[in-house]
Amino acid sequence: PHCSIKLTPEVYTMKLALIVLLMIVFFYLARASYALVTQKDKGKTMAQHLSWRIGLSLLIFALLMLGFFMGWLQPHSLLQ
């Protein structure tokens, strides 16, 4: 089974942006976890990092929806 989407510059850029954003989300999750364990002012620092994580997650969701509507990304079944 082959993918029906050709790897155009738009598709490549979208996928690369999503991967980079996911890595940044995990980075902020790690920073929040580190702040929880080590810092005295845990609440403010951790809240800032988690706020960034939530905002970036919403951006990822919006980019996924844009990619689906533009035809750059297609959902697929793992059972194929």
Side-chain angles (χ1 to χ4, degrees):
H2 294 285
C3 181
S4 62
I5 297 177
K6 295 181 180 175
L7 194 58
T8 62
E10 294 86 9
V11 173
Y12 182 77
T13 303
M14 176 66 71
K15 289 183 178 185
L16 184 63
L18 288 170
I19 290 169
V20 168
L21 285 171
L22 281 173
M23 290 171 46
I24 294 171
V25 165
F26 284 122
F27 172 74
Y28 274 108
L29 180 61
R31 285 184 72 178
S33 299
Y34 181 76
L36 176 67
V37 173
T38 62
Q39 294 181 358
K40 293 179 183 177
D41 187 16
K42 298 174 187 175
K44 183 178 179 184
T45 304
M46 190 173 65
Q48 288 174 344
H49 296 317
L50 292 177
S51 295
W52 272 103
R53 182 178 168 261
I54 291 169
L56 290 172
S57 296
L58 291 173
L59 177 62
I60 289 171
F61 182 77
L63 286 176
L64 283 172
M65 291 298 105
L66 176 68
F68 290 142
F69 288 126
M70 296 297 289
W72 298 335
L73 303 173
Q74 289 182 355
H76 64 280
S77 173
L78 296 176
L79 303 175
Q80 290 180 351

